[in-house]
Amino acid sequence: MDCNTHDTDVFNLVISGVGGQGVLTLAEVLSRAALSENHNVRVGEIHGMAQRGGHVVCTVRMGPDAYGPIVDAGTAHLIVGFEPVETLREVELVRPDGYIIMNQHIQHPVAVSMGKADYPPIDEIISSLRKFANHIFDFNAMSLAESAGNPQSMNMVMFGAIIGSGLVSISKETALATVAASFPGRFEEINTRAFESGYAATSVLKW
């Protein structure tokens, strides 16, 4: 594996979001790309009440030592958050030297929409995340997806950000080929643009 945080032959990645954001699709596309490069991959899914905007989390473990899908607390090399509060929900999984890539776009939970709870300020969320990890990149992936042509392509913006970050040992060429194979027809162009915008956002990072 090609990650400067590795000390074992496994890379632990956690994807956190809510139902309808494409978390499961991203995990599937990422796994297909990894398999295309002959990585050993294990994927786990937790999605309760997903169709009602409930919490969805996927774990992707890659490498010779990936024997199961469970990522223990403090062992995730990378957390990919589709939504700020949902990122915070899983932050205890990240390693102290781990990384977080987070979409800034807020999707209010039902309790907030009903006026029964307040959504925390984004600065407080990021401050809380920094108690667990120093390497945090937050950006408006939703805005990039809209610019690509469809807000539902936000998951491919995040895929591009993952590959562009250089933390996961999957080539850009393999990732783009997997996007094309996963979204044939008229959706290929939109999702490819979304991927490229996410890739551009992180490929210039100096972690």
Side-chain angles (χ1 to χ4, degrees), residues 77-156:
H77 297 86
L78 172 62
I79 290 182
V80 178
F82 277 45
E83 202 280 333
V85 162
E86 298 304 328
T87 308
L88 187 59
R89 192 192 297 270
E90 301 299 334
V91 72
E92 68 175 5
L93 296 178
V94 74
R95 292 162 49 121
D97 60 350
Y99 295 75
I100 295 173
I101 297 174
M102 184 183 78
N103 172 34
Q104 298 168 343
H105 183 77
I106 293 170
Q107 184 162 328
H108 285 149
V110 174
V112 174
S113 299
M114 295 177 65
K116 295 183 178 181
D118 294 325
Y119 195 95
I122 189 72
D123 290 347
E124 290 185 10
I125 293 175
I126 293 176
S127 178
S128 297
L129 293 175
R130 291 198 182 282
K131 294 177 183 176
F132 292 83
N134 291 324
H135 306 294
I136 300 173
F137 175 69
D138 61 291
F139 71 127
N140 195 331
M142 177 60 77
S143 176
L144 293 178
E146 291 171 346
S147 296
N150 189 337
Q152 292 185 338
S153 67
M154 193 266 284
N155 56 350
M156 290 302 101

